[in-house]
Amino acid sequence: MAIKNTFNLGLVVTLMVSISSLFAQKGKSKPDPLKQTVQQIIESRYSDMTELSDKIWAFEETAFQESQSSAALSTYAEELGFKVTRGVGEIPTAFLAEFGSGSPIIGVLGEFDALPGLSQNKVPFKSPLNEGAPGHGCGHNLFGVASLSAAATIKDLISEGKLQGTIRFYGTPAEEKYFGKLWMIRSGIMDDVDIMMDWHPGDETETDVQKGLALVDFIVEFSGQAAHASGDPWNGRSASDALELYTTGINYYREHIKPTVRIHYHIQDGGQVVNVVPDYSSLWVRVRDTSREGLMPVWKQVEKMSEGAAIMANVTHKVTLVSGVHEILVNRTGSAVMQANLEALGPISYNEEEQEFAKKIQEATGKPQIGLVSEIKPMKETLEHSMGGSTDVGDVSWVVPTIRMSATTAPNGTPWHSWAVVASGGMSIGHKGMAYAAKALAMTMVDLYQNEVLRNEIKAEFKQKKGDYVYKGILPDGPPPLNAGY
């Protein structure tokens, strides 16, 4: 499959650049009236969008616990005229908002979960709003609102007879941990979608054509025998010893894996007090690589090493799969259409106050003080081994062709998953990026609804790249771990 993709890359890139140029030229010489309407609708809802986004920002809810955030989004969708189905995929905070009928069926993803420990005031220096509480360090308070606003704009055009088909907004919880989309996919609610739209907050505005990393999460638990650490340690079998031996083994293994691999672990329980030989320990392990094929052997080796640690410490062990995600299956045909719409929109404009806020954040985080960047650069090549983060959007992209973008919502170079992103996402910098993303998503969807040939080309690339691979999600049997927490 990789050979076929490489063989066609030059031709695909050439064709996509040509398509992008044609769309851009058309946008410059003769603006599409529907796309102008799209922008006007979203601008008219800007106040509602910022209010809703700020509510979710303040809710600070983490994976599977996003009850207020989900309710705010789904209620707003109902007020806008969508038919809302809550609790999809066995997840109370997941929902589907739908309008229209028939084909094409275009979907758009929206996330809204926060990260633990990142609560932050709307100031350009570290200052927790609620000490120790979660915060939107990945900008998901903006994500769901922009996507729903784009979907609502398309709904308006469908209701007025200007477009035909079905629009669906997918309210997708728990992206930061557990990966809620996996259970939503398993429920079958994405099987009939023609094309899926997606975006993410970022420090640049661009069409996202990189694959990211495949990933797997599992929990390793060791169980031994407690004893007095000084009085009779010979009667103890230390689960903590097993844990240390295991992490040591992982760290030695790093020398013998490919540069594309990432291994992380977080010790959840290493014992409670110093004078007791611990009879229990646990850690959360994460393995990544640029493809699921590369991920699988490393995952299995790291998992197997836990047995060796248990043997050496004379304890028992248990390995529990949490979940895992695929890398992104990039669709460059769809991405070229998105690129043209970004070029038609142009960069986001910022005032002096916003740029000064951005530079203060950059100063506080040790980054060059260049301010905000939203210049629209040419579409990049898709790298064979693109590094970075992971997302359950990867799994969606193996089920339905997916078009992705990012919009500037934080200063350039800002450490992601940090207080700096939370601060920017709660004020006008984040709000502007959110509105921009909504426009770009909706404008691209206009192209998809109007052009059946384009839809077929996007599907053809998806089919060719997927090849004979049969998608299977990396997740355990049974319901999602709704109360597992962090």
Side-chain angles (χ1 to χ4, degrees):
M1 186 168 64
I3 294 175
K4 287 196 291 185
N5 291 347
T6 302
F7 176 79
N8 288 309
L9 181 59
L11 176 59
V12 170
V13 171
T14 301
L15 289 172
M16 293 311 98
V17 170
S18 298
I19 292 172
S20 179
S21 298
L22 287 172
F23 272 98
Q25 290 171 10
K26 178 182 176 182
K28 290 176 182 178
S29 60
K30 189 178 179 182
D32 186 324
L34 277 188
K35 293 183 182 180
Q36 290 181 315
T37 300
V38 159
Q39 296 180 51
Q40 292 165 2
I41 293 172
I42 290 169
E43 288 168 4
S44 72
R45 288 182 175 142
Y46 185 74
S47 178
D48 289 344
M49 293 170 66
T50 56
E51 181 181 352
L52 181 56
S53 172
D54 286 350
K55 283 183 180 179
I56 296 171
W57 184 91
F59 290 149
E60 304 175 326
E61 296 172 306
T62 57
F64 291 137
Q65 308 305 309
E66 318 96 332
S67 57
Q68 296 178 92
S69 303
S70 176
L73 283 165
S74 59
T75 299
Y76 184 57
E78 285 179 323
E79 291 172 353
L80 292 172
F82 284 93
K83 175 186 176 183
V84 173
T85 304
R86 295 176 173 84
V88 297
E90 301 179 85
I91 304 171
T93 54
F95 69 95
L96 180 66
E98 184 175 33
F99 185 87
S101 61
S103 61
I105 301 173
I106 308 297
V108 57
L109 302 171
E111 299 168 8
F112 41 86
D113 60 323
L115 284 157
L118 293 182
S119 182
Q120 167 68 22
N121 279 292
K122 302 175 185 181
V123 293
F125 52 88
K126 188 175 182 180
S127 174
L129 179 64
N130 299 301
E131 190 70 47
H136 278 279
C138 210
H140 292 180
N141 61 300
L142 307 165
F143 190 160
V145 176
S147 295
L148 179 56
S149 298
T153 303
I154 297 299
K155 179 204 73 69
D156 291 347
L157 298 181
I158 292 175
S159 66
E160 294 171 6
K162 296 176 181 177
L163 295 176
Q164 293 184 339
T166 305
I167 179 67
R168 285 185 190 161
F169 171 81
Y170 289 84
T172 61
E175 189 274 339
E176 298 292 1
K177 185 179 181 183
Y178 305 118
F179 308 116
K181 296 181 190 66
L182 299 177
W183 285 272
M184 297 175 75
I185 291 169
R186 189 173 71 178
S187 73
I189 62 172
M190 299 185 188
D191 290 349
D192 61 346
V193 177
D194 288 282
I195 297 167
M196 190 72 77
M197 305 296 300
D198 176 60
W199 83 285
H200 201 282
D203 66 349
E204 292 184 342
T205 302
E206 62 182 353
T207 301
D208 194 341
V209 292
Q210 304 307 331
K211 299 187 298 182
L213 302 177
L215 168 159
V216 68
D217 280 346
F218 57 94
I219 304 296
V220 178
E221 300 171 280
F222 296 104
S223 298
Q225 172 63 52
H228 194 293
S230 178
D232 63 339
W234 50 85
N235 284 328
R237 291 179 288 110
S238 175
S240 181
D241 286 354
L243 184 149
E244 291 190 78
L245 289 164
Y246 183 42
T247 57
T248 299
I250 289 173
N251 291 327
Y252 273 99
Y253 183 46
R254 295 182 195 276
E255 183 182 356
H256 309 288
I257 55 179
K258 293 181 178 180
T260 56
V261 175
R262 297 287 185 269
I263 305 175
H264 327 274
Y265 56 79
H266 170 66
I267 296 173
Q268 297 179 306
D269 190 336
Q272 302 302 309
V273 292
V274 71
N275 63 339
V276 174
V277 174
D279 64 356
Y280 178 80
S281 68
S282 68
L283 71 165
W284 168 20
V285 185
R286 172 168 286 185
V287 180
R288 310 192 206 214
D289 197 10
T290 50
S291 71
R292 68 195 177 285
E293 289 90 351
L295 168 73
M296 295 300 287
V298 179
W299 164 24
K300 293 305 177 183
Q301 176 62 21
V302 173
E303 188 178 272
K304 186 168 65 173
M305 289 162 60
S306 64
E307 180 181 4
I311 291 171
M312 286 189 286
N314 193 25
V315 300
T316 60
H317 81 296
K318 178 183 178 183
V319 178
T320 304
L321 173 66
V322 178
S323 63
V325 299
H326 287 57
E327 73 277 20
I328 299 286
L329 185 62
V330 175
N331 193 289
R332 292 189 65 86
T333 306
S335 297
V337 183
M338 173 63 78
Q339 176 71 22
N341 285 305
L342 296 184
E343 292 173 3
L345 278 171
I348 303 170
S349 297
Y350 300 102
N351 58 37
E352 290 185 12
E353 183 180 356
E354 290 161 343
Q355 288 288 9
E356 185 62 25
F357 188 97
K359 290 175 182 178
K360 286 181 179 179
I361 283 182
Q362 289 163 338
E363 180 182 12
T365 56
K367 302 297 179 182
Q369 296 173 46
I370 61 174
L372 293 150
V373 174
S374 67
E375 174 189 358
I376 311 302
K377 299 177 182 177
M379 191 168 78
K380 298 175 182 176
E381 292 186 14
T382 301
L383 303 176
E384 182 180 358
H385 297 293
S386 55
M387 303 306 292
S390 308
T391 172
D392 52 9
V393 177
D395 286 65
V396 176
S397 73
W398 286 89
V399 175
V400 53
T402 302
I403 303 172
R404 308 181 68 227
M405 65 158 287
S406 66
T408 301
T409 61
N412 189 261
T414 298
W416 221 249
H417 286 194
S418 79
W419 65 265
V421 177
V422 186
S424 302
M427 47 86 71
S428 60
I429 292 172
H431 298 156
K432 285 186 174 181
M434 171 181 65
Y436 186 96
K439 292 176 183 178
L441 291 168
M443 289 167 66
T444 303
M445 286 192 280
V446 167
D447 290 320
L448 298 177
Y449 279 100
Q450 291 182 322
N451 193 333
E452 182 180 4
V453 173
L454 174 61
R455 296 196 302 270
N456 289 336
E457 289 173 349
I458 290 170
K459 292 178 183 179
E461 180 183 340
F462 169 76
K463 183 177 180 180
Q464 184 269 328
K465 285 186 173 178
K466 185 176 180 181
D468 58 2
Y469 175 69
V470 179
Y471 169 80
K472 183 178 181 181
I474 305 172
L475 75 172
D477 295 332
L482 300 177
N483 300 310
Y486 265 88

